[in-house]
Amino acid sequence: MALDSGNTAFVLVSMALVNLMTPGLAFFYGGLVRSSNVLTIMMQNYASMGLVTIIWVMWGYSLCFGTSKGSGFIGAPADHYFLEDMGEFETSTGNAIPEIVFAGFQGMFAVIAPSLMTGAFADRVRFVPYLIFIAVWVHLVYFPFCHWVWGGGWMFRHGVKDFAGGIVVHTTAGFSALATVVALPNRQKMEGAEVDKSPHNIPFVALGTGLLWFGWFGFNGGSALEASPTAALAAMNSEISASAALFFWMLLEWKLEGKPTLVGACVGAIAGLATIPPAAAFVKPWAALVIGILCVPWCYACIEITKKYELDDALDVWAVHGMGGLFGTLCIGIFANNDVAGFEAGGKLFGIQLLAVTGCAVYSFIIGYATIKAIGKFMPVVPGQDDLKLGLDISMHGAKAYSGEDHSGSVKKGRDFANRV
């Protein structure tokens, strides 16, 4: 089979775009946390780029896309050990790209999935336990679901649909993030004072949003694995959903809070981008607009739930990513159109999607909770009081984001903007 140079170039560019999303996430999260902890959360995101890529190259890709073992349970780990024996990857239309390009593109998804969780337990996890947690998590949660849904595993065989990561990325990360929130003490209890939750650098939030939005064209459009009408539809639907969610989140916040904010607009855009991936190439543009609008009250209400039950999801990862990914997955069963997807929405498909995403949510929560608790049996997970007073950037990484200023302390100083993200 002849390799298609145009499609190869397209997936290479998409790989680079998705790679850019993790630094974008670092800026987005970094702007939302306190200035004494900004380097800590950015470091967690960059560390994922290093550690998860190494695991992916050694055996992660094989576990996800190797020969299916155990009736579709997991891929054979030795199939492509250190990316050996890579051939050609055939796309859905019969074209071919080098398999190593496909492996590189998929590796970017494996990197950003655990990075998403860092916003939930911001300010509460030491660096070594964090590294252990994400290393265990990708093996027990991400790799299995990647194989089950995208690697020809048992979920794929039962008709589960997920174009670009509603289940594999957002639901897994979002519900494991919620588990860490439940398992760990909240920040007010840790610090003994009301926590300042206002973002320290709103321009960082806007910059991170722009980088994420830019990268999402590779995340969703690139998932077609070829420069095709499918890729074009996925990219356009991503833009539509994000834009609609941004605008309607702004309106909702304006109505409920009295003023529209830049942080709220950015969060709305991220909610739209997190909701559309599973359905990006399966729905028509009008449906993407509806999904972008509907995800706003859905995710906003989930934020209110965390506040009501005092769940300290610092940057609302569960509400925006976990519940957004879940909602988008269900929307396939409501809005999928045979003209673009090759299958039609209906009650049976909705039921399949509901069972799959619910099972994923429950599994991800249990494994996330058990993993962080198990690590805590062997080492302290939560920073000590002295570390918190000094600031995690200095105590854990020996640096300050802004020299010449005192950024320590936990007393609430301003309006709680971060509770909207």
Side-chain angles (χ1 to χ4, degrees):
M1 182 184 302
L3 293 175
D4 188 298
S5 59
N7 290 333
T8 300
F10 173 74
V11 179
L12 281 170
V13 171
S14 296
M15 180 178 78
L17 288 172
V18 182
N19 185 61
L20 182 65
M21 292 176 70
T22 302
L25 185 68
F27 273 100
F28 181 75
Y29 283 170
L32 290 168
V33 299
R34 287 170 284 180
S35 57
S36 59
N37 299 336
V38 56
L39 299 182
T40 299
I41 199 164
M42 295 181 85
M43 183 66 172
Q44 289 173 344
N45 281 264
Y46 276 88
S48 178
M49 297 176 74
L51 177 59
V52 177
T53 298
I54 292 170
I55 296 170
W56 183 257
V57 168
M58 289 193 297
W59 55 69
Y61 174 72
S62 291
L63 289 172
C64 293
F65 295 99
T67 305
S68 195
K69 299 292 184 181
S71 299
F73 180 73
I74 200 69
D79 271 9
H80 303 289
Y81 190 65
F82 277 101
L83 301 185
E84 292 287 338
D85 300 318
M86 305 293 276
E88 298 174 354
F89 183 87
E90 184 177 351
T91 68
S92 60
T93 58
N95 295 311
I97 60 174
E99 188 176 3
I100 197 166
V101 174
F102 173 74
F105 175 70
Q106 288 292 339
M108 301 300 101
F109 287 73
V111 165
I112 198 170
S115 300
L116 291 173
M117 294 187 287
T118 60
F121 49 72
D123 307 341
R124 276 168 291 174
V125 175
R126 298 168 66 90
F127 192 58
V128 171
Y130 166 72
L131 294 176
I132 296 171
F133 176 74
I134 64 171
V136 173
W137 185 86
V138 293
H139 285 89
L140 297 183
V141 180
Y142 184 82
F143 293 163
F145 273 97
C146 184
H147 182 73
W148 296 344
V149 179
W150 290 341
W154 67 272
M155 281 189 166
F156 172 81
R157 298 173 189 177
H158 283 82
V160 174
K161 307 294 183 183
D162 182 4
F163 183 74
I167 293 174
V168 177
V169 176
H170 294 285
T171 303
T172 58
F175 279 85
S176 286
L178 178 65
T180 65
V181 170
V182 174
L184 298 172
N186 64 50
R187 289 170 293 170
Q188 186 168 328
K189 180 179 179 180
M190 286 171 52
E191 300 179 14
E194 192 173 2
V195 176
D196 179 13
K197 296 180 180 179
S198 57
H200 91 278
N201 192 324
I202 293 175
F204 269 17
V205 178
L207 173 62
T209 301
L211 292 172
L212 284 164
W213 198 330
F214 183 64
W216 233 295
F217 288 110
F219 191 95
N220 289 346
S223 291
L225 300 175
E226 56 188 355
S228 66
T230 299
L233 178 66
M236 193 64 224
N237 281 346
S238 303
E239 174 69 16
I240 293 169
S241 178
S243 300
L246 181 155
F247 187 73
F248 279 89
W249 194 291
M250 182 183 71
L251 294 180
L252 182 62
E253 183 182 50
W254 199 346
K255 173 68 175 178
L256 298 179
E257 304 292 332
K259 293 181 180 179
T261 67
L262 178 58
V263 170
C266 289
V267 173
I270 298 301
L273 289 165
T275 302
I276 196 62
F282 299 152
V283 301
K284 289 192 172 183
W286 69 264
L289 178 65
V290 174
I291 291 170
I293 295 171
L294 292 180
C295 78
V296 172
W298 173 267
C299 293
Y300 200 99
C302 291
I303 292 174
E304 295 302 314
I305 290 171
T306 61
K307 291 171 61 180
K308 179 179 179 180
Y309 292 100
E310 298 182 346
L311 297 171
D312 191 16
D313 184 349
L315 307 182
D316 295 322
V317 176
W318 170 74
V320 174
H321 292 279
M323 293 304 288
L326 182 148
F327 181 68
T329 301
L330 296 179
C331 283
I332 297 172
I334 302 171
F335 297 112
N337 186 282
N338 186 64
D339 292 342
V340 295
F343 55 87
E344 195 73 34
K348 181 179 179 180
L349 178 58
F350 183 87
I352 291 171
Q353 297 296 108
L354 178 61
L355 286 173
V357 76
T358 302
C360 173
V362 172
Y363 178 92
S364 299
F365 182 92
I366 292 172
I367 298 299
Y369 186 91
T371 301
I372 200 73
K373 284 293 190 181
I375 294 170
K377 297 292 185 181
F378 298 95
M379 65 182 68
V381 173
V382 176
Q385 287 297 318
D386 291 341
D387 293 334
L388 294 170
K389 290 178 180 178
L390 187 61
L392 301 185
D393 290 354
I394 295 175
S395 62
M396 291 202 295
H397 301 292
K400 292 192 295 184
Y402 310 98
S403 60
E405 298 182 31
D406 180 12
H407 295 285
S408 62
S410 60
V411 178
K412 182 177 177 66
K413 301 175 184 176
R415 180 179 172 186
D416 180 4
F417 287 99
N419 243 0
R420 287 281 160 245
V421 297

